[in-house]
Amino acid sequence: MPRACGQISRPTHQTWQHGGVTAATHSSAFPAAAESADAVLLGLDPEQREVATTLRGPVCVLAGAGTGKTRAITHRIAYGVRSGQLMPASVLAVTFTNRAAGEMRGRLRTLGAGGVQARTFHSAALRQLQYFWPKAVGGEVPRLVERKIQLVAEAGARCRIRLDRGELRDVTGEIEWAKVTQTVPADYPAAALKAGRETPRDLAETAQIYGAYEQLKRDRGMIDFEDVLLLTVGILQERRDIAEQIRTQYQHFVVDEYQDVSPLQQRLLELWLGDRDSLCVVGDASQTIYSFTGATPDHLLSFRTRYPQATVVKLIRDYRSTPQVVHLANGLLNQAKGRAAEHRLELVSQREPGPAPVYAEYPDEPAEAEGVAGRIRDLIAAGVPAGEIAVLYRINAQSEVYEQALADAGVPYQLRGAERFFERAEVQKGLLALRGAARSAGSGNDPLLDGVVELGSQVRAVLSSTGWSTEPPAGSGAVRDQWESLAALVRLAEDFARARPGATLADLTIELEERKAAQHAPTVQGVTLASLHAAKGLEWDAVFLVGLTDGMMPITYAKTDEQVEEERRLLYVGVTRARLHLTLSWGLSRAPGGRASRRPSRFLNGLRPGSAAPAARDGAAAERGVRTRGRRGPVLCRVCGKTLTEAGELKLMRCEDCPSDMDEGLYERLREWRATQSQEQGLPAYCVFTDKTLMAIAEAAPSEAGELSMISGVGGRKLDRYGADVLAICAGGDPGGSGADDA
């Protein structure tokens, strides 16, 4: 029986990594196929199983980093298909990157649900636009803009505004933001000002360039990727017959990374759904790091408002990272503020203990890069594969010094976000050779394959003709990069052969073509250099977070509280990429001999050894003498002493099953007051305080602001807004009405 909204699944206290439950992450590229519908559920923990078996009605999965969200939703789809409850062609699974969509399709094929569509929003919309354009508009679909930035440069020149490279990139980003928030050029200045956008040019100039860009596209009969969404939305809004045709095909929707949905994508999803509610969304507000593109967690956080009957499941068992890494990640979020922070998930590691995170300070950036390269070399010597190590930084400009340091240390590396794997010349040459060998394999006309039976050996033999060898070339550089690319194909073939006994070279080429179409690249065995944004969705055994100084983390142009909080979330994403080894470092100056004026990131205060915890949540709270929450260790039930992990229990400071000493009369008075506040402010009641928070207040019956502030769910903002009312009610008096006009 699905749980109603608010009845969150509660994990038991045992670790689910053992006893038949398999790890949620770091799995094989080709997992073993499930034999039946019931077999699809094997290896899932209780919360993942609830996701997989709740196939009807709206479902909201709040999934922390490393908790197996992709596993849960792919097994949900597969279980529905294999049990006959879902038709494969009626399901549309949507995510945000080609790689994620390709991985999802691969998992679904393995689980026996290969007919399910798994696409990005843009890919799904483009297919629909191309199919329905002749019927809705007539003629051929306009050409897609290949290089938007070049067209923006032309628009700037038409407006007699010269843009340097950085301004060109930033203006292009502003145009993309305006379009996904459905803001036309004339409205851009006011919208950007209201949103607090950091703009590269005067708002009026940016609006002028935006308008010229749109005109250039019209003149040339072109559309960009944002237009794909806008035009699809327009057609579905205006043509009810086309909308109904799509709704007839797709009956069930799954949206991954729902915290990253833009208003435009949300509108498209609503049009796909119509008046139905067969929707499963998955996300984590604490991983919202793309607000500059128009992404917002509001749709995730307000899901239960739109669907009061929704089933809500929390995934907090972290199978990826050690308790030491998880403790640091939780510590980062414990200092966070804002709406996303109020819905943070306290992760519970399911792994054995590992090494403590390392904090390293260096005199300057080159020394930091050299030190990191040395530590990486030591890890590789200790048996950690280079492909399982990453160096993550805030901006791409930081990569150069690490490229040089790794090259000097003789360590192979790859730049994430550079040339796509399947577009590399050596990979294309290798795929061509494999296709040719597959065609001639059965005829006996390929001397390379004479007497070679095993698939991995066949691939090694074929690729040896394109420059691959069993031993890597010495040093680094282009030759080593090319070898690493071909070696990745060899490893993929070996994984494929282990997972598909009896598979042929032809079967492998089909798999490679599907991966190429999805840009689902194999892992290249070199240390990954990537920005924190580019690292989202990935994981490594060892992660080095570098350049962690104030001004870089948070970045200097993060001015508002929300911008700073997004920077904190970005660091949280970086921390949660690490499975075992985590190093955080910073340099005190930019160059050798420079003034040591830099300071470690404020986000590490209270977390790194020798640093003081943040003084207070805000200055006003400090002036009032209100106690603030510091870094938390395990929270114990105040009745039975068990460790608490579920958010509702953490609010109450006791197990749900333990007896309550709540003042029932006080609780009812608080509920009546909340209903009045909700009505006056036009907010859902839980936005004032949740039921659990009201219960916690009624149990604690605080008599002063310091006691009230210590209750989970009563942050500084709500204390300011509602504190006087709540304390008055707790004291048996009448509320004074504070907060009613302050929403």
Side-chain angles (χ1 to χ4, degrees):
M1 175 74 71
R3 284 184 173 85
C5 174
Q7 292 180 301
I8 312 299
S9 61
R10 181 154 54 96
T12 62
H13 296 291
Q14 74 180 92
T15 295
W16 287 90
Q17 189 180 10
H18 309 292
V21 177
T22 55
T25 59
H26 200 193
S27 56
S28 166
F30 301 98
E35 297 178 354
S36 66
D38 288 340
V40 170
L41 302 178
L42 296 177
L44 300 182
D45 69 27
E47 294 76 44
Q48 293 170 348
R49 182 180 286 255
E50 181 177 9
V51 173
T53 55
T54 306
L55 298 174
R56 299 296 173 184
V59 178
C60 180
V61 184
L62 302 176
T67 58
K69 66 179 179 63
T70 305
R71 181 189 187 89
I73 58 176
T74 52
H75 283 243
R76 177 184 191 269
I77 295 169
Y79 179 72
V81 170
R82 298 291 293 273
S83 64
Q85 298 179 66
L86 301 178
M87 294 295 293
S90 72
V91 181
L92 178 59
V94 188
T95 187
F96 281 81
T97 67
N98 287 322
R99 180 183 178 86
E103 181 183 351
M104 193 178 290
R105 284 197 293 272
R107 292 198 192 193
L108 289 170
R109 283 199 307 273
T110 299
L111 292 168
V116 172
Q117 290 291 314
R119 297 186 171 275
T120 65
F121 269 102
H122 284 94
S123 171
L126 181 59
R127 287 191 81 209
Q128 294 172 13
L129 189 66
Q130 290 171 333
Y131 184 82
F132 290 109
W133 185 272
K135 180 178 180 180
V137 181
E140 295 185 358
V141 181
R143 289 184 301 118
L144 269 174
V145 174
E146 292 183 3
R147 296 197 63 203
K148 182 185 297 179
I149 204 164
Q150 183 175 333
L151 207 60
V152 174
E154 287 188 50
R158 178 174 286 192
C159 299
R160 298 185 178 181
I161 299 173
R162 186 174 180 178
L163 303 169
D164 63 31
R165 182 179 298 180
E167 289 175 326
L168 190 57
R169 182 189 63 244
D170 292 344
V171 168
T172 301
E174 285 304 295
I175 291 173
E176 290 173 348
W177 172 82
K179 298 187 75 167
V180 300
T181 55
Q182 302 174 75
T183 304
V184 298
D187 295 338
Y188 167 79
L193 192 63
K194 182 179 180 181
R197 303 286 294 178
E198 287 285 334
T199 55
R201 305 285 301 206
D202 177 78
L203 294 175
E205 285 185 336
T206 303
Q208 188 180 0
I209 296 170
Y210 177 16
Y213 167 79
E214 292 296 301
Q215 187 60 52
L216 272 173
K217 287 197 289 97
R218 285 192 293 270
D219 293 344
R220 298 178 186 180
M222 304 176 80
I223 58 175
D224 60 26
F225 272 108
E226 288 71 43
D227 291 327
V228 170
L229 299 181
L230 285 163
L231 289 168
T232 305
V233 165
I235 288 173
L236 296 184
Q237 285 180 158
E238 295 178 10
R239 292 291 300 267
R240 184 180 181 86
D241 56 329
I242 293 176
E244 288 303 322
Q245 191 171 340
I246 290 175
R247 291 166 192 162
T248 299
Q249 162 140 18
Y250 295 119
Q251 303 288 323
H252 311 280
F253 296 86
V254 176
V255 184
D256 193 13
E257 303 287 3
Y258 194 54
Q259 77 279 351
D260 291 332
V261 167
S262 71
L264 181 56
Q265 290 164 334
Q266 176 64 22
R267 180 60 186 141
L268 178 59
L269 177 62
E270 291 167 354
L271 289 165
W272 284 340
L273 274 167
D275 57 3
R276 300 166 300 170
D277 63 0
S278 187
L279 171 66
C280 174
V281 301
V282 189
D284 178 9
S286 295
Q287 296 188 67
T288 305
I289 59 173
Y290 297 109
S291 67
F292 60 91
T293 67
T296 171
D298 289 348
H299 306 299
L300 174 67
L301 298 179
S302 61
F303 191 82
R304 282 175 287 181
T305 303
R306 297 198 310 277
Y307 300 103
Q309 77 279 24
T311 299
V312 180
V313 184
K314 286 188 178 182
L315 304 183
I316 62 169
R317 304 178 201 272
D318 188 325
Y319 298 93
R320 175 188 300 160
S321 304
T322 63
Q324 287 76 10
V325 173
V326 168
H327 180 71
L328 176 56
N330 286 337
L332 275 172
L333 291 189
N334 285 341
Q335 299 177 2
K337 296 176 285 188
R339 190 181 181 204
E342 292 175 1
H343 294 79
R344 63 181 176 269
L345 299 168
E346 191 92 3
L347 299 178
V348 181
S349 175
Q350 305 297 292
R351 294 192 56 173
E352 295 297 323
V358 174
Y359 297 87
E361 184 175 279
Y362 296 91
D364 52 64
E365 285 184 10
E368 182 183 4
E370 184 179 344
V372 166
R375 288 174 181 267
I376 288 174
R377 191 169 50 195
D378 292 343
L379 283 173
I380 293 173
V384 180
E388 290 295 348
I389 302 173
V391 178
L392 307 181
Y393 34 76
R394 177 61 181 82
I395 59 175
N396 287 320
Q398 293 172 273
S399 74
E400 185 177 358
V401 67
Y402 292 94
E403 293 177 55
Q404 185 63 53
L406 290 172
D408 291 345
V411 175
Y413 66 86
Q414 57 171 328
L415 278 173
R416 181 160 181 82
E419 184 181 26
R420 289 180 173 181
F421 179 84
F422 287 106
E423 293 173 0
R424 298 174 187 174
E426 67 272 16
V427 173
Q428 293 179 348
K429 186 177 179 181
L431 292 179
L432 185 63
L434 289 171
R435 284 196 296 270
R439 285 194 295 269
S440 60
S443 63
N445 294 330
D446 193 335
L448 284 171
L449 301 180
D450 284 349
V452 183
V453 177
E454 192 265 327
L455 179 58
S457 300
Q458 290 180 333
V459 171
R460 287 191 289 273
V462 172
L463 293 183
S464 66
S465 68
T466 69
W468 183 79
S469 60
T470 54
E471 293 297 322
S476 57
V479 175
R480 178 61 183 250
D481 289 345
Q482 292 166 9
W483 184 91
E484 291 287 358
S485 296
L486 296 176
L489 289 178
V490 172
R491 286 191 299 275
L492 187 72
E494 292 169 345
D495 284 344
F496 188 73
R498 280 193 293 269
R500 308 280 194 279
T504 65
L505 202 54
D507 295 329
L508 176 65
T509 59
I510 292 171
E511 174 69 26
L512 290 172
E513 286 302 318
E514 290 178 345
R515 282 175 165 256
K516 179 181 178 182
Q519 289 299 327
H520 183 194
T523 301
V524 175
Q525 282 302 322
V527 173
T528 299
L529 298 179
S531 70
L532 286 163
H533 282 102
K536 177 75 167 64
L538 303 175
E539 57 186 83
W540 295 270
D541 283 344
V543 169
F544 291 79
L545 301 176
V546 300
L548 300 181
T549 60
D550 261 345
M552 190 59 73
M553 177 57 65
I555 198 80
T556 186
Y557 52 74
K559 304 293 187 185
T560 67
D561 288 346
E562 180 48 42
Q563 289 168 343
V564 170
E565 286 305 312
E566 180 149 339
E567 293 288 298
R568 190 194 307 275
R569 295 194 294 269
L570 188 57
L571 181 57
Y572 171 80
V573 166
V575 167
T576 55
R577 299 310 94 195
R579 300 190 191 107
L580 181 61
H581 304 281
L582 177 63
T583 299
L584 305 94
S585 63
W586 57 91
L588 298 179
S589 69
R590 181 176 178 276
R595 188 163 63 92
S597 58
R598 296 179 174 178
R599 294 291 176 268
S601 170
R602 71 191 75 164
F603 297 148
L604 302 181
N605 291 344
L607 301 175
R608 63 184 176 87
S611 65
R617 283 188 171 267
D618 54 51
E623 290 173 9
R624 292 192 303 269
V626 174
R627 292 187 299 161
T628 56
R629 302 178 189 90
R631 184 156 54 110
R632 287 205 307 254
V635 179
L636 305 180
C637 173
R638 56 188 169 86
V639 180
C640 70
K642 288 184 179 178
T643 299
L644 304 178
T645 59
E646 212 283 318
E649 295 178 334
L650 290 168
K651 284 182 183 293
L652 297 173
M653 297 296 290
R654 63 171 175 81
C655 300
E656 294 250 14
D657 300 333
C658 285
S660 168
D661 55 357
M662 181 178 69
D663 182 335
E664 294 286 349
L666 175 56
Y667 179 68
E668 288 306 317
R669 292 196 300 276
L670 287 168
R671 283 176 56 87
E672 292 172 5
W673 165 83
R674 183 183 64 173
T676 302
Q677 292 289 314
S678 171
Q679 184 175 8
E680 290 178 354
Q681 298 178 46
L683 294 172
Y686 72 82
C687 288
V688 180
F689 285 120
T690 64
D691 286 346
K692 284 291 195 303
T693 299
L694 290 188
M695 289 175 67
I697 293 171
E699 289 185 358
S703 60
E704 49 94 15
E707 294 176 359
L708 179 59
S709 72
M710 295 303 293
I711 294 173
S712 180
V714 184
R717 183 166 167 266
K718 290 193 176 182
L719 188 66
D720 288 338
R721 182 171 294 183
Y722 304 123
D725 278 3
V726 172
L727 291 172
I729 295 170
C730 290
D734 295 324
S738 68
D741 57 355
D742 192 32

